[in-house]
Amino acid sequence: MKTEKLYQKIKNEIRLELGKYGPGEFVNTEVSLAAKYNVSRPTVRKAVDALVSEGVLKRIAGKGLVIPDDNNIPESHSKSILIVVNIQKEDVNLFSKSILGIIDYANETDFTYKIINQDDKEKRNQILREINFKTYAGAIVTAYGDGSDKEMINIIKSNNLPLVLIDNPLDKGIYNYVVADDYTGGYMIGEHLGKLGHKKIAFLSTVNPAKTVENRISGITDGLAAYGTKIDSKDIVRLTDEKEAEIYISKRISSGNFDYTAIACCNDIMALYVYKALTALGFNVPGDISLTGFDGSLGEILSPVNFTTVNIPGYKMGYEAAQLLIDMVFKKTDGCKKRILDVEFKNGCTTAPVNG
């Protein structure tokens, strides 16, 4: 028992001493450490072995003990999460909360993290090709199924890194993921508009090939169908990005080819651009036309209007993704895990019964 206590004491003292060395620097030999702390060589070796097993120290044959740098940390000892996302400056809620959830769970389990937030997917993939994956225990990413995202997934998988997807499940391949119940959220929107008597509805989305969007469209379609309403395929409009919605709506109204009583958007940011276009042209929301968002990414503080939308639990998504990933790292879970989180319908002030 005394030997165990002494070994622990020496181990802690050596750990404190290591704080004055930088990555890649060599430290005292075991012989000098034994002399410094006036203990036997076996006691020092046991303390050093423990520090080596924790990745704090590394032995290099013929050279001695060294502080590991990023390129020398053994993969089995890595306790860092790689997070790859694309957070737009307008989005300070959904994905930022997801990142906070990941960080909180990482902190609880003594994991560090690196965030790659890159709008340019080619630059993102170049960054991934150049990093040292041995410094990471696993990765949490958002991927929407285009060619660049597939390349990103392949880069990570080729480095044998455990992987968890958030927000979008991908409909091909075997993936671990934590996503929101987009279909049910869509159904809630469709059901809500159906109850209000809307029959002529447009759905605006981006061209992003995300399964989340398809699930939202399916949900809205089925929710409206319960009230005898159908969205025609020509009324499902796919735009390059959210900002294009403002231009599209302005041109559509100016052309005189606009007879919708409601517009459903794939996310809150797009709904905001539609709202700007409608109000600029003198339309009253919801008096003249109803408008819905999806995801709760803006919130009342950042939006000029309290949107009717579906709130996605961003923080919980990130927290559970980190929990799932770290369980995978420590082999606490087997097989492919898929978690679908409940969403919440929010009845704001941008929808109303059909006027007249």
Side-chain angles (χ1 to χ4, degrees):
M1 187 66 180
K2 288 183 179 179
T3 302
E4 186 68 26
K5 287 183 178 180
L6 181 58
Y7 138 74
Q8 291 287 356
K9 180 176 181 294
I10 297 304
K11 172 188 168 185
N12 292 335
E13 289 189 10
I14 294 175
R15 185 192 293 275
L16 289 174
E17 183 178 344
L18 297 181
K20 60 186 182 183
Y21 294 93
E25 289 189 50
F26 284 85
V27 303
N28 291 330
T29 64
E30 290 181 6
V31 173
S32 63
L33 288 171
K36 179 176 180 176
Y37 296 112
N38 194 26
V39 294
S40 67
R41 179 80 177 274
T43 299
V44 167
R45 175 166 285 275
K46 188 173 183 181
V48 169
D49 284 345
L51 293 170
V52 169
S53 70
E54 294 173 12
V56 177
L57 278 174
K58 180 172 181 174
R59 281 195 179 93
I60 297 181
K63 292 186 177 181
L65 300 170
V66 66
I67 303 294
D69 59 25
D70 288 344
N71 294 320
N72 289 326
I73 298 175
E75 184 174 0
S76 60
H77 300 155
S78 176
K79 292 192 70 176
S80 185
I81 298 172
L82 179 64
I83 306 167
V84 188
V85 292
N86 176 19
I87 303 177
Q88 302 177 38
K89 63 181 180 180
E90 297 93 342
D91 177 13
V92 295
N93 193 342
L94 177 58
F95 280 115
S96 56
K97 284 189 175 181
S98 296
I99 297 299
L100 181 59
I102 295 171
I103 290 173
D104 279 356
Y105 192 80
N107 288 336
E108 290 175 17
T109 51
D110 295 323
F111 271 70
T112 58
Y113 48 86
K114 177 182 176 65
I115 301 172
I116 298 177
N117 180 34
Q118 177 57 255
D119 185 55
D120 187 321
K121 291 186 176 183
E122 292 305 317
K123 288 183 179 178
R124 175 203 64 191
N125 289 352
Q126 184 59 39
I127 292 171
L128 289 173
R129 283 190 288 269
E130 295 174 355
I131 69 172
N132 179 18
F133 279 94
K134 288 185 178 180
T135 63
Y136 301 101
I140 298 174
V141 308
T142 55
Y144 298 106
D146 60 22
S148 295
D149 283 350
K150 290 177 182 176
E151 182 184 9
M152 172 185 68
I153 295 293
N154 287 335
I155 292 172
I156 294 172
K157 291 178 68 176
S158 67
N159 284 277
N160 299 313
L161 214 62
L163 175 67
V164 174
L165 303 175
I166 58 172
D167 187 52
N168 187 53
L170 292 182
D171 58 352
K172 294 180 180 179
I174 300 175
Y175 299 102
N176 303 282
Y177 60 72
V178 180
V179 300
D181 191 347
D182 291 288
Y183 173 83
T184 297
Y187 193 95
M188 291 174 178
I189 292 288
E191 187 178 47
H192 177 69
L193 293 176
K195 286 180 181 178
L196 295 175
H198 292 279
K199 298 294 182 181
K200 186 63 176 176
I201 301 161
F203 181 84
L204 270 58
S205 174
T206 62
V207 292
N208 197 327
K211 187 68 174 177
T212 53
V213 173
E214 298 307 319
N215 288 340
R216 292 172 191 182
I217 292 174
S218 295
I220 289 176
T221 300
D222 290 350
L224 286 169
Y227 288 85
T229 298
K230 179 181 179 182
I231 293 184
D232 195 284
S233 58
K234 67 180 178 61
D235 296 323
I236 298 176
V237 181
R238 300 179 188 272
L239 305 170
T240 304
D241 55 35
E242 285 84 0
K243 293 180 181 179
E244 191 183 349
E246 185 174 0
I247 299 172
Y248 171 80
I249 291 297
S250 297
K251 287 183 177 179
R252 187 73 182 265
I253 292 174
S254 299
S255 71
N257 183 23
F258 188 86
D259 58 352
Y260 299 113
T261 63
I263 299 175
C265 297
C266 70
N267 58 46
D268 282 11
I269 295 175
M270 181 169 278
L272 179 58
Y273 282 111
V274 172
Y275 179 82
K276 289 173 63 180
L278 291 171
T279 54
L281 292 170
F283 281 76
N284 176 270
V285 179
D288 299 321
I289 185 167
S290 288
L291 176 64
T292 65
F294 202 116
D295 70 18
S297 63
L298 291 176
E300 298 175 34
I301 296 176
L302 297 173
S303 176
V305 63
N306 181 17
F307 282 112
T308 295
T309 187
V310 170
N311 288 329
I312 291 177
Y315 178 88
K316 186 176 182 182
M317 184 185 296
Y319 190 92
E320 293 202 9
Q323 184 181 55
L324 174 57
L325 180 66
I326 292 174
D327 282 350
M328 292 165 59
V329 170
F330 289 116
K331 312 298 183 185
K332 292 181 180 179
T333 182
D334 297 318
C336 188
K337 301 299 179 182
K338 306 178 187 298
R339 299 183 185 177
I340 301 177
L341 306 180
D342 291 339
V343 296
E344 177 187 25
F345 177 75
K346 176 190 171 186
N347 190 4
C349 63
T350 58
T351 52
V354 175
N355 188 3

